């Protein structure tokens, strides 16, 4: 369970880091020209967060079933 929590935090941190970087660069021309790539990269990282959340849910479900 602790490993699942760590994995969830790491996945969220990656997605948030990318979001912060891109939002911070909104005023630059490069950020606007790279918008599609940034959105796709953020979507991929959010999918990683979702997968980790599913994994964590399975662990919690198994643990709660055993109680």
């Amino acid at each position: 369970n602790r490993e699942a929590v760590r994995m969830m935090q790491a996945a969220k941190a990656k997605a948030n880091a990318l979001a912060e970087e891109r939002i911070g660069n909104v005023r630059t021309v490069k950020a606007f020209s790279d918008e599609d790539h940034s959105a796709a990269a953020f979507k991929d990282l959010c999918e990683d967060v979702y997968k980790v959340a599913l994994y964590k849910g399975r662990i919690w479900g198994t643990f709660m079933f055993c109680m």
Side-chain angles (χ1 to χ4, degrees):
N1 185 29
R2 287 183 184 180
E3 183 62 26
V5 171
R6 284 189 201 112
M7 290 172 64
M8 176 66 107
Q9 289 173 341
K12 283 182 179 179
K14 286 181 183 179
N16 286 336
L18 178 67
E20 286 181 24
E21 176 187 339
R22 297 306 182 186
I23 290 169
N25 290 332
V26 166
R27 292 185 179 148
T28 65
V29 175
K30 183 178 179 183
F32 287 110
S33 68
D34 195 31
E35 188 174 341
D36 291 336
H37 174 72
S38 296
F42 185 70
K43 179 181 179 251
D44 291 342
L45 291 172
C46 287
E47 287 176 8
D48 290 344
V49 171
Y50 177 75
K51 289 175 188 176
V52 173
L54 286 178
Y55 172 72
K56 183 180 174 188
R58 283 189 213 109
I59 289 174
W60 272 100
T62 301
F63 174 73
M64 296 306 273
F65 177 76
C66 294
M67 291 185 81

